[in-house]
Amino acid sequence: MPAETEAVTAAVLVIGDEVLSGRTRDANSGYIASYLTNIGVDLREVRVVPDDEDAIVEAVNALRARFTYVFTTGGIGPTHDDITADAIARAFGVGIDHDPRAVAMLRERFANPADLNEGRLRMARIPFGADLIANRVSKAPGFRIGNVMVMAGVPSIMQAMMDVVGPTLRQGVRIESASIRADAKEGDIALPLAAVQKAHPGVAIGSYPYVDETGFNTNIVLRSRDPAGLAAATAAVEAMLRDLPRG
Amino acid sequence: MPAETEAVTAAVLVIGDEVLSGRTRDANSGYIASYLTNIGVDLREVRVVPDDEDAIVEAVNALRARFTYVFTTGGIGPTHDDITADAIARAFGVGIDHDPRAVAMLRERFANPADLNEGRLRMARIPFGADLIANRVSKAPGFRIGNVMVMAGVPSIMQAMMDVVGPTLRQGVRIESASIRADAKEGDIALPLAAVQKAHPGVAIGSYPYVDETGFNTNIVLRSRDPAGLAAATAAVEAMLRDLPRG
């Protein structure tokens, strides 16, 4: 796929009371973040909202207006608290009903008509005008409407959907990165690091302090779409660290 | 502290390119979520935005207008990419400068004047009108301005700040919860679970499917501020599961 010169941007919208209560850690946004970084798509925002239709509608409309793509996770299962599909239909101002293509996918999995009950059939309710996103794990599809990809919350199912969606996305120029452990406290490198940043404006230099059993330390991460610029800035950071007065 | 009858609500704003690139997993929002749930504060939204002043200003202003409290993490260190304090000052339309109280805290840690360099002194830049949030781990303070608590991104430091901030917050009525493993596929319990939800409107019943080595399973989580209602709904879910036809 040809590289685009303008940035391709994205947001992730995680839907679920369970994440907001702290009971469940959201692993999906991290997975999607890594996935998008690998194909040169800039993830610019993550939002987590509850299983509340108004909150979902508002977030979807805010994010889809602003970014190239929006990826939602969660709330497309068979139970009463799965309200994402209805919220997306409302956000787009379109109707929603059982989609014959989605019903056919579910029939593949639930051959016994007794198993394809009213609850499971809820998973075939798809907003008008959406394309389905197949899923090899559970068969119940996600869907894409406009620039919004609506995916499951169960990580293995979401990842199967991402495998289908990923190749259809516009790719940007991949951001390359380099990571350097400073073996110094952040406060001791702040000024020389700022000087390196100033000299290399095409490279984003981030400083990430952490504490481990040896005390305070810092990771320096350099990111750029320009490999030569990245190499030059990385060399400059390494030289700066080498020359740092160390007590 | 007396229980409030109206809901006390909150949002978390995670500031950091590193989370959006997928390189670092955000652990802070999960920690804050659990902390708030324990004191009856409803976490209603989490946002992750990049180290970009416009994005921070916009998110802070959107969230502080909507929720009782906003907790930010990240971007208050000594390096050039730490821009949260400036963004918060701009969001509130106030000035920012080195705060003598914050400088004194840093002097406690960096007794040698050479160590308290210009980079570290950046950490004493505090928006006008803010109260400091002390931190026993690194001494560099966070701050509170209006209903916004500005905290560090390093988890151990953020947690130390939360220990200081937590007791100052209004507490709500704690939401009690019960969790039941259904040992059933979500699609097989969707309809009877919806009936239980309808009969117990004061209890939020969530259904969380997962896949493990034994196949598809479901956790049912019930949440309510009314302990008697929670017990009744929990008993109803257990009875429903007991009576479920199982192939």
Side-chain angles (χ1 to χ4, degrees), chain A:
Chain A
M1 193 172 291
E4 305 283 344
T5 48
E6 79 247 59
V8 184
T9 61
V12 169
L13 178 63
V14 175
I15 297 162
D17 290 347
E18 278 297 270
V19 173
L20 292 172
S21 74
R23 184 184 283 270
T24 298
R25 297 290 154 105
D26 157 52
N28 287 332
S29 61
Y31 180 91
I32 298 171
S34 298
Y35 191 107
L36 295 177
T37 296
N38 278 332
I39 61 170
V41 174
D42 280 355
L43 180 59
R44 295 274 176 88
E45 185 166 336
V46 174
R47 287 196 197 183
V48 186
V49 297
D51 300 317
D52 172 87
E53 194 172 297
D54 288 346
I56 300 168
V57 169
E58 191 192 324
V60 165
N61 280 338
L63 297 172
R64 73 187 176 97
R66 192 171 304 175
F67 302 108
T68 315
Y69 297 119
V70 178
F71 299 84
T72 80
T73 66
I76 61 167
T79 52
H80 61 276
D81 57 334
D82 289 305
I83 61 172
T84 297
D86 287 274
I88 299 285
R90 202 179 114 201
F92 279 84
V94 299
I96 180 169
D97 203 349
H98 293 97
D99 183 304
R101 301 166 300 175
V103 173
M105 287 176 177
L106 291 173
R107 284 228 171 87
E108 230 186 282
R109 181 172 159 82
F110 302 102
N112 183 344
D115 286 338
L116 194 51
N117 59 32
E118 188 189 321
R120 290 209 168 90
L121 276 172
R122 265 176 68 81
M123 295 193 287
R125 295 180 73 249
I126 305 288
F128 297 166
D131 293 321
L132 303 188
I133 302 173
N135 137 44
R136 66 174 182 278
V137 176
S138 75
K139 297 299 180 190
F143 58 87
R144 173 180 178 157
I145 180 166
N147 60 344
V148 180
M149 326 293 155
V150 177
M151 306 192 292
V154 175
S156 59
I157 300 177
M158 186 281 292
Q159 291 168 22
M161 291 178 177
M162 203 67 200
D163 287 343
V164 173
V165 165
T168 72
L169 302 174
R170 271 176 58 202
Q171 304 202 355
V173 180
R174 200 172 175 292
I175 295 181
E176 304 294 333
S177 67
S179 181
I180 301 169
R181 198 184 67 196
D183 287 330
K185 292 176 185 149
E186 199 181 27
D188 288 325
I189 59 170
L191 294 184
L193 190 66
V196 176
Q197 173 68 83
K198 200 168 175 189
H200 298 267
V203 178
I205 304 179
S207 169
Y208 304 98
Y210 64 95
V211 188
D212 67 11
E213 64 284 358
T214 68
F216 287 88
N217 204 334
T218 311
N219 279 319
I220 299 170
V221 178
L222 302 93
R223 302 172 76 232
S224 179
R225 293 197 153 84
D226 165 22
L230 180 66
T234 302
V237 169
E238 284 165 347
M240 178 275 283
L241 291 173
R242 207 163 42 233
D243 298 343
L244 198 70
R246 291 175 190 265

Side-chain angles (χ1 to χ4, degrees), chain B residues 173-178 202-204 222-231 233:
Chain B
V173 180
R174 199 173 177 291
I175 295 181
E176 304 294 334
S177 67
V203 179
L222 302 93
R223 302 172 76 232
S224 179
R225 292 197 154 84
D226 166 21
L230 180 66

Side-chain angles (χ1 to χ4, degrees), chain B residues 65-140:
Chain B
R66 192 171 305 175
F67 302 109
T68 314
Y69 297 119
V70 178
F71 300 85
T72 80
T73 66
I76 61 168
T79 52
H80 62 276
D81 57 335
D82 289 304
I83 60 172
T84 298
D86 287 275
I88 299 284
R90 203 180 114 202
F92 280 85
V94 300
I96 180 168
D97 204 349
H98 292 97
D99 183 304
R101 302 166 299 174
V103 173
M105 286 177 178
L106 290 173
R107 284 226 170 89
E108 231 185 282
R109 180 172 160 82
F110 302 101
N112 183 345
D115 287 336
L116 193 51
N117 59 32
E118 189 189 319
R120 289 210 168 88
L121 276 173
R122 266 176 66 79
M123 296 192 286
R125 296 181 72 249
I126 305 288
F128 296 165
D131 293 321
L132 303 188
I133 301 173
N135 138 42
R136 66 174 183 276
V137 176
S138 75
K139 297 296 180 193

